Amino acid sequence: MESQWSHKNRVYPILSCFSVIFLLYLNFGGNIKIPILWQQHLSFVGTNSTRFVVSDDVGEESSVYVNGWNSYWLMEESVWENSRFRVSKMMKRGAQMGMTVCRTWAFNDGNGPNALQISPGLFDEKVFQGLDFVIVEARKNRIRLILSLVNNLEAFGGKGQYVRWAKEAGVNVTIDSFFSDPTIKGYYKNYIKAIVTRKNSLSGVKYSEEPAIFAWELMNEPRCASSSSAPVLQAWITEMAAFIKSLDDKHLVTVGLEGFYGLKAINRSSVNPGEWAASLGSDFIQNSAVENIDFASVHAYPDSWIPDADMGEKAIYLSNWVDSHVNDGEYVLKKPVLFTEVGSSFLVNKQESYDRDFFLKMMYDKIYESAKKKEAGAGALIWQLLIEGMGGYGDRFSLVAWNHPSTYNLIIEQSSRLRSLFSKSKTNRKLEQFDRC
Ligand SMILES: *[C@@H]1O[C@H](CO)[C@@H](O)[C@H](O)[C@H]1NC(C)=O
Ligand SMILES: *[C@@H]1O[C@H](CO)[C@@H](O)[C@H](O)[C@H]1NC(C)=O
Ligand SMILES: *[C@@H]1O[C@H](CO)[C@@H](O)[C@H](O)[C@H]1NC(C)=O
């Protein structure tokens, strides 16, 4: 009898504690936000001449060479509770593959589903909370994000949406006015400000103070094709990079270029994938040389840029493309060069993933050689990774990595050999020890 009572006495307080939590849950409709009390310690990534670097607590610097990936869909899938697991899983699997950087869209403009910016300066808080979630998940897995701020292409609104907004406001503009019209530049600056000064609703950390952000990217693949447009794009990059730095001097800034050489880079025109590439208003050297641009970005798509070439020709093209940009980073720009999209189709021929692996391995080998010499080829990000059941986000360059063992193994090998290069330095030993906790 006695012992029974004393047992019950211990149970009641516990039950009542549960019921208080349950009542709280009912009162807040299940929307209680449990604050994040502890986060991974990360330091900001910086540059020292042609290298990315991180410093430890005592200021000792170590080099960073990146193996990373693209998943443009993270914010979109974080808006609603029932799809967030995809983001968590992608981050976790990315980290397990030894990757350290993920590039993703921090934009969705217009009146499409889950738009972040519904009209100029008007934001959907629920979508912003999705982006908050992406950043928290990245940090949890020690992944740093490259956040792209607007699209040159139509997907998720892009520059076309900004131009439509200006037209609706009665401004006389064409598509390339995106880069020069004062009204549109004002919209874009307001957007930058809203993002960069955002305070994360889950962690309480301001985006400008968040070390899990690797860099801001001005635009995905800027092109400005109207005649004599090169100075227009150049001026836009200069103005917008300075604007970001005025709000946030802790983070790196890059352009988001495909890497084409412009009309004036005459001795490099043979490196471009075709004559067309020089007349898109961009120039890799000039654009990347802008003072507030901390590192150069380049994409690589042999299958879509020279679709009619055979394997051998594509291989020669890719090899020259990578060497030329790394040399420019090393000797002309004196900045790191990051290959932020590396895509190869596995639909081009029937040899399963052989072609993709071939191009990816060529890229990875060149980055590894650069890392061994501590040169400007600072890393590569595969385009793009999904998890299972996401067909809607696919293109012919997308894959669920672990379902393609040869590609999966390539990625993991690249991560581990880059890591082992620097594991001898004291800082990296410390970082690795930290990684294991
Ligand atoms: C940059 O790297 C050079 C060469 O390794 C080194 O001597 C210098 O101290 C580094 N700069 C800073 C600010 O750490
Ligand atoms: C709009 O601008 C174009 C080119 O600058 C000009 O030719 C046209 O007359 C303008 N239209 C109006 C309605 O002002
Ligand atoms: C192109 O010319 C520049 C300046 O004259 C030179 O530094 C560079 O090495 C040349 N590049 C190639 C690929 O020949």
Side-chain angles (χ1 to χ4, degrees), residues 64-69 94 98-102 142-144 419:
V64 175
Y65 283 81
V66 174
N67 192 28
W69 84 100
M99 293 192 286
T100 54
V101 175
C102 174
R142 304 182 63 79
I143 301 289
R144 291 185 180 86
R419 176 179 289 245

Side-chain angles (χ1 to χ4, degrees), residues 240-251:
M240 297 309 165
F243 184 70
I244 296 188
K245 291 286 185 182
S246 75
L247 300 169
D248 174 358
D249 60 3
K250 287 204 164 103
H251 285 113

Side-chain angles (χ1 to χ4, degrees), residues 287-305:
N287 298 161
S288 309
V290 168
E291 188 192 344
N292 288 309
I293 295 300
D294 300 292
F295 66 95
S297 36
V298 189
H299 294 180
Y301 284 101
D303 293 325
S304 44
W305 289 347

Side-chain angles (χ1 to χ4, degrees), residues 39-44 138-139 142-144 210-213:
Q39 290 210 95
Q40 288 276 0
H41 173 77
L42 282 181
S43 33
F44 286 85
R139 181 151 173 186
R142 304 182 63 79
I143 301 289
R144 291 185 180 86
E210 175 56 72
I213 295 172

